[in-house]
Amino acid sequence: MFHAITPAEPDALRSVVDLAATYGLPHNVLGTNAARAYVLQLAEHPMGRWYGLLARERLLAAAHLALYGQGDSRSHSLWKIRHPLARPEAISAGAWPRLFNALVQEALAIRPGSIKAVLFLSEHEREASEAALAAGFSVEGVLDDFYR
């Protein structure tokens, strides 16, 4: 089941915090003591929210989806998908492609028309990158050094 996770659902949000706190790849915030505050900050984002893929009310995978731009303000919008998180068993079960496809469908439901969904991934997030490609995303650019 695909589900929007709001601050009004502390148990669901706590599950996102748990995934972010146990993030095992190199990251400045995820996998650190700052992960909880960051997840809660994104939960309050005025143009976005966390979404999760659940099985029997257990969070398998989550990502943050936010409206990033409105193009012509009527028929085109730009969406940013941030921080795909998943339990290891969910990754091997193909949760990320399902999550990415559900996020795109949610963006289209919120703002019908054409969309561009941008997924920012680090060089360490190879499994998420492969899943995004499987879900129909394409690589538009690779930075040599994000922090220039």
Side-chain angles (χ1 to χ4, degrees):
M1 177 177 82
F2 180 71
H3 180 71
I5 300 169
T6 68
E9 300 171 283
D11 290 339
L13 202 50
R14 194 172 6 262
S15 293
V16 176
V17 168
D18 291 345
L19 284 178
T22 58
Y23 188 78
L25 299 173
H27 194 276
N28 289 337
V29 178
L30 302 178
T32 72
N33 291 335
R36 180 181 187 282
Y38 186 62
V39 166
L40 297 177
Q41 175 188 344
L42 284 178
E44 298 291 342
H45 190 288
M47 300 300 285
R49 62 176 43 161
W50 286 98
Y51 288 88
L53 197 59
L54 296 92
R56 291 183 228 108
E57 298 191 28
R58 182 173 188 241
L59 184 65
L60 300 177
H64 189 268
L65 175 69
L67 181 62
Y68 196 55
Q70 296 184 36
D72 63 9
S73 297
R74 290 185 315 268
S75 63
H76 184 73
S77 54
L78 174 62
W79 295 83
K80 185 174 183 180
I81 300 171
R82 300 190 235 203
H83 309 304
L85 307 166
R87 297 183 186 286
E89 66 272 17
I91 295 169
S92 61
W96 272 338
R98 291 193 328 258
L99 177 65
F100 296 150
N101 284 323
L103 290 166
V104 168
Q105 291 306 310
E106 182 69 10
L108 285 166
I110 293 169
R111 284 189 53 90
S114 63
I115 70 164
K116 180 174 186 174
V118 180
L119 176 60
F120 292 90
L121 296 170
S122 80
E123 68 275 15
H124 304 291
E125 296 173 295
R126 286 188 181 92
E127 288 176 317
S129 179
E130 290 169 9
L133 291 171
F137 282 78
S138 60
V139 176
E140 287 193 359
V142 177
L143 301 175
D144 291 330
D145 182 359
F146 179 77
Y147 297 102
R148 290 186 218 92

